[in-house]
């Protein structure tokens, strides 16, 4: 079974940067849809960024546009990154990697089906 493992979380001060990684094991197939979600204490999970196989099609939440960049590793199957710059206290959350094998229209919206999820990595931003 597919297993998604996130890494790279930590604690930074406001204005700092972190880079999250998500690696998938247990499959030889390309997971066409991969993305990042986050959940802050007491809040619902929300989409942050998503990316299609090949790495050219991306989608971002308005709150992170211009600060976060999602990318796919060209050399490693089903590996994505989230470069987070100018982090703010409101970015504090558990960040989850998600993926889906689906084929068809390149619907990268956060409400689409996401079949596989990681366990999450904590990001804490202090002011």
């Amino acid at each position: 079974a597919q297993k998604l493992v996130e890494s790279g979380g930590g604690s930074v001060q406001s204005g700092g940067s972190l880079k999250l990684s998500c690696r998938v094991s247990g499959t030889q197939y390309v997971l066409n849809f991969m993305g990042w979600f986050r959940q802050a204490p007491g809040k619902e999970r929300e989409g942050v960024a998503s990316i299609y196989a090949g790495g050219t099609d991306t989608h971002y939440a308005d709150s992170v546009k211009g600060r976060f960049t999602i990318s796919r590793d060209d050399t490693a199957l089903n590996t994505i990154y989230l470069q987070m710059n100018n982090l703010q206290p409101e970015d504090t959350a558990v960040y989850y990697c998600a993926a889906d094998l689906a084929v068809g229209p390149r619907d990268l919206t956060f409400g689409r089906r996401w079949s596989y999820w990681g366990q999450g990595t904590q990001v804490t931003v202090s002011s």
Side-chain angles (χ1 to χ4, degrees):
Q2 291 85 350
K3 183 178 181 181
L4 283 63
V5 179
E6 305 96 336
S7 62
S11 297
V12 296
Q13 291 190 328
S14 180
S17 298
L18 285 173
K19 185 174 184 178
L20 305 183
S21 300
C22 173
R23 292 176 173 82
V24 182
S25 61
T27 181
Q28 62 181 339
Y29 299 106
V30 174
L31 299 176
N32 288 321
F33 298 89
M34 296 191 72
W36 291 97
F37 291 74
R38 67 186 182 187
Q39 187 167 19
K43 294 187 177 181
E44 293 188 355
R45 186 173 59 196
E46 63 176 358
V48 175
S50 56
I51 190 166
Y52 189 76
T56 57
D57 292 350
T58 59
H59 176 65
Y60 293 93
D62 288 342
S63 59
V64 306
K65 282 181 181 177
R67 300 188 299 123
F68 291 12
T69 302
I70 189 171
S71 61
R72 289 186 80 130
D73 193 321
D74 293 335
T75 62
L77 183 65
N78 297 326
T79 297
I80 63 169
Y81 306 100
L82 185 68
Q83 177 67 49
M84 305 185 294
N85 297 327
N86 191 22
L87 283 160
Q88 301 299 314
E90 53 266 33
D91 296 315
T92 295
V94 177
Y95 283 70
Y96 297 92
C97 178
D100 198 88
L101 181 60
V103 296
R106 297 185 182 187
D107 175 15
L108 288 172
T109 57
F110 302 126
R112 61 157 297 111
R113 181 187 74 184
W114 296 94
S115 297
Y116 313 113
W117 292 85
Q119 293 299 306
T121 185
Q122 177 71 46
V123 172
T124 303
V125 185
S126 59
S127 58

